[in-house]
Amino acid sequence: MSEAVVPQYTAVIAGKQVPATRWIDVLDPSNARLLARVARCGAAEVGAAVEAARHTYETLWRFTTPVERSRVCHRIAEVLRAERGDLARLETLDTGKPLSQSLVDADVAARYFDFYANTVEALGGETIQQQPGRLAFTLREPYGVCGHIIPWNYPLQIAARTVAPALAAGNCCVLKPAEDAPLTSLRLAEIVEEAGLPTGALNVVPGYGGEAGAALAAHPDVDRLAFTGSREVGEAVMIAAARNIVPVTLELGGKSPHLVLPDYDAALAVPQIVESITEHAGQNCSAGSRLLVHRSVHDELVDALAERFRSLRLGAGIDDPDMGPLISAKQRDRVLGYLSEGRRDAVVRAGGGVPGGEAYTDGFFVEPTILDQVTPENRVFNEEVFGPVLCVSVFDSLDEAVALAEHTTYGLAAGVWTSDVTTAHWLAQRLRAGQVFVNNYSAAGGVELPFGGYRRSGIGVEKGLEALREYTRCKTVAIHARLPS
Ligand code: NAD
């Protein structure tokens, strides 16, 4: 692509494209070519975005009814569906993920707007029985201006998942997408406008985390923060929130295990275990990155998985392969670092490095990899690799399986594979994870399923009805209602 035709994307504040003087190069991960330039926003643009959101909130959006907000959200969903092909293509070029996955992401983004459009109409407070002569009740009110900081792995889905409940609940938003994959968030800013969302209700400011992200997290006129990303940055965002005494949702990383019992159903388990760690090349917060398997079924299961891993087709996302590249050279090198260290005390059963062949030399590809006989002392067992790397360990008893599952500080999701309902119940209660899937593994679950981490995987919940509640606060009203005697 020649310099002259590289598209440029700017911040969208109060419905306007804001001229930029500083730019960030956005690369196509499948070939490292320049895909676009995006504005490098800083504190000034973030300040203007917060001001725009505040203005729309105070003058308009907070006075709308749930029905009015519901109608707008439904229209946003319609436009997203109408644009799904173009959005998916943009998402794939930006993130490297297979096109069919991006089409799913576009559909799910629309579903978030429909779901919160439907549910906001049923949101209400409660009446409280207190004492005769007093009428007490609660109201669910929006916070005001919400700041949303999101990662690069599922930008369109995560943008929709975090701003749809906030907007439906009556808040106005400032969204800071990741520098590596900001394009669909900027397109979303145009789509909501086309769908009739008032100008300034959703503002998008791209830029580096340490500049635009830090400015948004620290802004004193932001009433609520939602952060999705790494644990390290989550900590910094929480400190910034603490300084302003504002609530913050943290959706952080994971090291989610599959627990496979001797009575598992291989036909169900094998394809889903493969998908859970190879979807978007394992760059998924709830990737099933650890396989904890009962010794009696270890060999048959790992053989079956290794065969599948070796058959996966790698390529540029736009050609819709089974697996695309990682997001960046930095991320690829990080994953390769984990592999070279982790394999020293493990057995490589599939993959293990960079795929050979001309098609893979320029992009950021890593082979889907199985490391077997990984012990908890191995760093790769505990830490989030964020790549297509499955670590396998054996257990002999349920207690041992739980101890292995919890030999990490994360607690995002877990998969349980057994035909025994008692074991399934017991494990679902025992495991410290925000989502437990039994005989299925749907990374991060559906739109309706609340999703939030235990332990260092986060605080608070997104998705489902819970998220709508999280974007409102509770006000109590007590009215003296005794009739004069
Ligand atoms: P990251 O933490 O590096 O970046 C996330 C966002 O934070 C980006 O927009 C980035 O620009 C911004 N940021 C960086 N430094 C900042 C700072 N000092 N202040 C404010 N913002 C800052 O994460 P990433 O590499 O983009 O994403 C990968 C991580 O995200 C993984 O750990 C993954 O598990 C996690 N993740 C979690 C979920 C979830 O729902 N739990 C979903 C997707 C990804």
Side-chain angles (χ1 to χ4, degrees), residues 33-58:
R33 284 191 209 129
L34 186 61
L35 180 65
R37 287 209 173 87
V38 70
R40 178 177 163 185
C41 295
E45 290 85 355
V46 167
V50 172
E51 203 178 314
R54 172 65 60 197
H55 178 76
T56 304
Y57 176 72
E58 299 295 350

Side-chain angles (χ1 to χ4, degrees), residues 285-305:
C285 52
S286 46
S289 53
R290 289 184 299 154
L291 177 68
L292 311 178
V293 54
H294 192 271
R295 192 179 301 279
S296 64
V297 288
H298 165 272
D299 291 358
E300 64 172 54
L301 179 55
V302 176
D303 285 349
L305 291 171

Side-chain angles (χ1 to χ4, degrees), residues 392-465:
V392 184
S393 314
V394 291
F395 64 83
D396 292 298
S397 70
L398 276 185
D399 282 337
E400 197 187 346
V402 172
L404 283 171
E406 299 197 335
H407 201 284
T408 169
T409 53
Y410 292 112
L412 200 51
V416 171
W417 301 91
T418 176
S419 304
D420 182 68
V421 72
T422 310
T423 308
H425 270 290
W426 187 83
L427 282 170
Q429 287 176 60
R430 262 304 286 279
L431 291 167
R432 284 190 288 173
Q435 289 192 327
V436 178
F437 295 100
V438 178
N439 294 331
N440 73 107
Y441 193 88
S442 152
V447 167
E448 312 80 358
L449 301 185
F451 178 60
Y454 275 35
R455 307 172 79 198
R456 304 292 189 273
S457 286
I459 292 176
V461 176
E462 292 210 321
K463 303 181 158 203
L465 269 177

Side-chain angles (χ1 to χ4, degrees), residues 309-323:
F309 268 55
R310 285 191 288 266
S311 73
L312 292 174
R313 215 165 30 93
L314 268 62
I318 208 72
D319 299 328
D320 206 24
D322 296 318
M323 209 180 90

